[in-house]
Amino acid sequence: MANDNKLQDIIAHCKEYGFVFQSSEIYDGLQAVYDYGQNGAELKKNIKDYWWYSMTRLHDNIVGIDAAIFMHPTTWKASGHVDNFNDPMIDNKDSKKRYRVDHLIEAHADTLDEAEKKALIDKMEQLLGADDFAGLKTLIEELGIKCGVSGTANWTDIRQFNLMFGTQMGSVAGDADVVYLRPETAQGIFVNFLNVQKTGRMKIPFGIAQIGKAFRNEIVARGFIFRMREFEQMEMQYFIKPGTQMEWYEFWKETRMKWHKTLGIPQEQYNFHDHVKLAHYADAACDIEYNFPDWGFKEVEGVHSRTDFDLSRHQEFSKKKLTYFDTEENKHYVPYVIETSIGLDRTVMMVLSEAYTEEDLSTEDKKDSRVVMKFASHLAPIKLAVFPLTKKDGLPEVAQQLMDECRPHFKCFYEQKDAIGKRYRRQDAIGTPFCVTIDHQTLEDKTVTIRHRDSMEQERIPMDKVKELVLEKIRQF
Ligand code: ATP
C-alpha cells in the first residue's frame, strides 16, 4: 500500500476512531482549535501522566505545581512577551492573506534540493537573527514566492505581530484591566520560585514542573494539532548555580532524548536542531525534532538555557528579592535556569504518527489489510479488550468476571457483538495491545486466548494470569 499522503490518512483516522475532532465542528469548526475524543483523551492523559511521573517521581529534586492561566499583566512585561513575542508577518495585498515570513520561506525551501534548501534556511536565519526585515522582503521577492490564494507576489512590507490573546478582567465596564491568556506555562513557575523553594526547603539544583494550557494567536495555524491556538505544554524549569549552565544543559538534552525513546520511537526518528537565532532570554537552545510523515523533522520540544533572565526581570519589575542563599558558597545569587518545554499536543501527534501503520495481510486466496496503531503499551488508550466468543452459554458472565478483576488496574473494553476477527480489527485501529477471547474451553479448563496486537499471534494462557501479564507489559518504569 504505497502512501504519499500519510498525514491526511492519519488525520482521517483520528476522526473516525475518536482521537481528535475539530472544535465546534457542527458550526464548521474553529480554526486551529481541536477537541480530543474518547480515545485521544486517554492517549493524551497517558502521555501527560508519564511525563509528570518521569519528572516528579524519578527525580527527588523536582516538584510539580499547577499555576493559574491568568497572571498579573506585569508578568508579561517582565518576561519580554509584550515587547518581544512577535512574529514577522507579511500580507499579500491581493488576497489579504497574512503569512509568517519564516513559514513562507520554509515552504519554498521544501521545494528545493537539500543543498539549496540548507543555504536558503541559513540565509533566512541570518536575516531573522539581525531583524533585517527589508532583507527578508527582498529575499521573498528574489525567490519569486507567490501567495497560494491569489497567485501573485504583491506583498506588503514585513511587520511584527504579537501572539498573545488579551482579555478583560473585572466586573465593571470601563474598570477592567487587560489580562493575557498565558502564552507559555513557564512564567507561572518563575513567579512561584521562592514560594516553592522556601515551603519545599529545596536546595539548588532543583526543578519545578508544570503541565497546563497555553494560548497563542498563531497567524498561520496549520498542521492539525501541531500548531494550535489553544494547546498544552509540559514544562520544567531547573534552577542551578550560575556558571554551571552548560553542564546542566547537556544533561537535560540527553535526559530528554532518553525519555523520547521510551515512547517506543527509535533514535533515528529524532534530531537535535541547535538554534542560530537565540530567543531574548537564552544563551544556548536546541529543539528536539521528530521526523513527521510528509513533513520531515519538526520541533516537538525545546531545551533552553535561560540564564537568570526571567528571575532577574521579575525581581526588577516586582521589586521583590528573588535570590537564593547557597549555604555551601555562603552567598546569595539569582539562580540560572535550564528549561525543558514540550508541547503535549505535538507529542500526541508524534505518537499517533509513529503508531499509524497500514498492513497488507493478503494471502493468495484473499485480499486483506488492516490499519493498526502500534502504540507503546503504556500509552495505549485501552490496554485490554475482553470478548466472549458468543453471547450465550455463560461466556459473557465469565468475560465479565475478567473485566471485574482487571478494570481497577487498567483501562479495559468489553464487546460481544460481531465476529471475533472484526472485533480484533476495531481494537487494532485504536491500538489496544491485548485482546482476550473467552470460549467454551474456558468453561472447562479456565484458559483463554490472548492475542497480541502487533504480531497478531495468539496464545492460550490461564485466565487468572491475564491481569499480571498485562500489568507487566504496560509497566512504564
Ligand atoms: P514553533 O517554532 O513551532 O512556533 P516555539 O519555538 O515557538 O515553536 P516554544 O515557545 O519553545 O515553541 O514552546 C515549547 C513547545 O510548545 C514547542 O516545542 C511545541 O511543542 C509547543 N508549542 C508551541 N507552540 C505551539 C502551538 N501553537 N501548538 C501546539 N504546540 C505548540
Side-chain angles (χ1 to χ4, degrees), residues 365-412:
D365 332 314
K366 200 168 133 228
K367 269 205 140 347
D368 196 9
S369 67
R370 69 168 181 164
V371 172
V372 50
M373 299 301 279
K374 295 189 172 178
F375 296 126
S377 299
H378 64 103
L379 302 181
I382 293 168
K383 314 297 188 201
L384 174 71
V386 179
F387 304 149
L389 184 65
T390 66
K391 282 184 227 169
K392 38 186 211 279
D393 305 331
L395 299 183
E397 287 73 12
V398 178
Q400 284 298 348
Q401 278 170 23
L402 184 60
M403 286 291 291
D404 290 344
E405 190 193 341
C406 294
R407 189 183 285 118
H409 301 277
F410 42 80
K411 181 91 181 149
C412 303

Side-chain angles (χ1 to χ4, degrees), residues 216 218 226-228 231 233 299-300 304 341 343 346:
R216 296 183 186 178
E218 301 277 5
F226 183 84
R227 189 174 301 287
M228 302 154 90
F231 58 101
Q233 287 185 316
E299 169 179 352
V300 177
H304 309 130
S341 173
R346 261 187 214 184

